Each structure stands twice: as structure tokens, then as C-alpha cells.
Amino acid sequence: LLVLIDKVEIKNSLNSLYGLSETIHNYYDLLKNYYIFKKMYRARLYKICKQIIDKTYQYREPLCYAKTPITYVFIIVRGTVSVENKIKSTNTTFKNIGDNFIIGINELIKKRKVYPYSFISRTTTRVFKIPVDIIKELLITDPVFLFRIKEFIKNDKMAITHESIPTVSKPKKIKQTHSYSRYGRSLDKESLPHIIKTRRKYLVKS
């Protein structure tokens, strides 16, 4: 009971000091459960919470597309999102990610400017969108935050890396070889590709 009263008093004092709504307090309680935010100072975490865009995505609605500028860090609160990329003009799904996954944080640490993959909602998915500017600012001013993000990425088994995504290489062209000896040339003429080529020339002429 005393703990509950203490929490209520803290909320009331914060409300009067910063003008925080009940929604912001709820965001704070949710983010506090994430490893990277667990040790963050209250004022800094509330600063993030005030910037959160709470959005629900419907089936096949994109969170972001590959090769577009990184503008938000996405936290999947509830739902499933597919990681996709185009291979030979066809969208291919590499893996599905779900609750508590954070999109974009790895790219910020590596100072990339664009999302490497497309992230498409597979179910009705609730997502917190956090502007990258505030995250970048905290990475500079809060070394503990930076350290915990690096630890999170290193230990996260679901982390998406370039090594975990298959790539498609262009097929190698096979160079046509020709024999130089009379016997070798005679064998070339009996090969199936040569017979087909000769037949095609005959059909074109006729």
C-alpha cells in the first residue's frame, strides 16, 4: 500500500512539474521493461515518452521500406512484422519478428542512413514510433544508454544482420570453347548444341 501511495505521489508531482498525461505515464511503465531503457534517468525516459507516436498497423501495411531514410526507431509492442527485401523484382520474406523487437536501433549504432530491409505488418500490430533525433541525442549525452544498446544488440538472438540475410548472385556466363584439332572439330559438330544451332539456321533459311 505504501509503495502504491508513493507511486501516486510521484506521478502527481511529475504531472505538476512537467504536465505529463496518464498516457505518457503508461508509455514510461512499458519502456521501463526494456533492457536498453531500464537504467535511464526518469527525466530522459519521459522525454522519449513525450515523443512517442502510438500507431496500430493493419495487415500488409508497411512500417518502412528498404533504402528509405531512417526517421524512426520502431518498437513492436504487440503483433508480427515480416522482414522483406526485393530479389529480382520479387518481394521475399526472410524472417518474421514480433513482440518487443526494436527496428532501426542497430542501424543507428552503425551510423547507417537508410533502412536495409522493408518491414511489413503481418497482423494487426501495435508499434511505438520514436523519432531518431531524440535517440541520437541520447546516444551522445548518455554513455550508459549507448553501452546498453551495444550489449542488447550483441546478445539479441533475433538481431537482423547483413550476414543473416541471403543474397542472390548473378549467374556466371559459361564461355564457349572450340577445339583446334581436326578430330576435335569433328566432335564439336556432333555435340547437341551444335546440332540445334545448325537446325535453327536451316529452318530460318527455309
Side-chain angles (χ1 to χ4, degrees):
L1 182 60
L2 290 173
V3 173
L4 180 61
I5 292 170
D6 185 50
K7 283 186 177 180
V8 171
E9 287 179 350
I10 289 171
K11 280 190 177 183
N12 289 337
S13 62
L14 288 170
N15 287 344
S16 60
L17 187 61
Y18 298 110
L20 302 174
S21 66
E22 189 64 30
T23 301
I24 301 300
H25 287 304
N26 291 336
Y27 293 162
Y28 176 87
D29 290 337
L30 278 170
L31 290 190
K32 204 66 178 168
N33 294 321
Y34 287 83
Y35 176 78
I36 63 174
F37 300 117
K38 199 177 283 288
K39 298 292 184 180
M40 184 174 283
Y41 290 126
R42 182 185 286 116
R44 288 175 179 172
L45 189 51
Y46 271 117
K47 188 176 180 180
I48 291 176
C49 293
K50 290 174 76 173
Q51 297 291 323
I52 284 176
I53 300 171
D54 189 351
K55 182 172 179 180
T56 299
Y57 291 82
Q58 303 304 318
Y59 175 70
R60 293 304 299 168
E61 187 177 356
L63 281 68
C64 57
Y65 286 111
K67 298 181 181 179
T68 58
I70 297 174
T71 51
Y72 293 99
V73 168
F74 299 89
I75 299 177
I76 302 173
V77 180
R78 184 179 61 256
T80 305
V81 172
S82 63
V83 183
E84 302 182 7
N85 211 348
K86 273 193 175 181
I87 295 180
K88 293 185 177 180
S89 72
T90 303
N91 280 335
T92 303
T93 299
F94 297 119
K95 63 166 65 176
N96 294 318
I97 54 179
D99 297 4
N100 304 323
F101 195 93
I102 302 175
I103 299 168
I105 203 76
N106 187 36
E107 284 67 40
L108 283 184
I109 292 295
K110 295 184 178 179
K111 296 183 179 179
R112 296 193 177 115
K113 297 186 182 298
V114 297
Y115 297 106
Y117 317 108
S118 297
F119 295 88
I120 312 295
S121 179
R122 289 186 62 85
T123 60
T124 301
T125 305
R126 185 187 179 193
V127 174
F128 285 171
K129 296 171 61 177
I130 303 174
V132 293
D133 290 341
I134 190 170
I135 300 294
K136 285 179 178 178
E137 179 187 325
L138 289 169
L139 289 175
I140 296 169
T141 59
D142 191 338
V144 175
F145 181 52
L146 175 60
F147 172 79
R148 291 182 76 82
I149 286 178
K150 287 181 177 179
E151 285 294 300
F152 171 77
I153 292 170
K154 186 170 68 175
N155 298 322
D156 185 16
K157 293 179 181 178
M158 286 290 288
I160 301 169
T161 62
H162 286 283
E163 291 76 18
S164 67
I165 301 296
T167 56
V168 176
S169 57
K170 293 181 180 179
K172 292 182 179 179
K173 290 184 178 179
I174 300 173
K175 189 177 179 181
Q176 294 287 340
T177 58
H178 300 282
S179 302
Y180 291 97
S181 66
R182 183 179 298 177
Y183 176 70
R185 287 197 297 272
S186 67
L187 292 178
D188 287 342
K189 289 181 181 179
E190 294 176 8
S191 65
L192 183 60
H194 180 78
I195 293 169
I196 292 171
K197 190 175 180 180
T198 306
R199 180 63 178 167
R200 280 177 180 168
K201 284 183 179 179
Y202 171 78
L203 291 172
V204 169
K205 286 181 180 179
S206 59

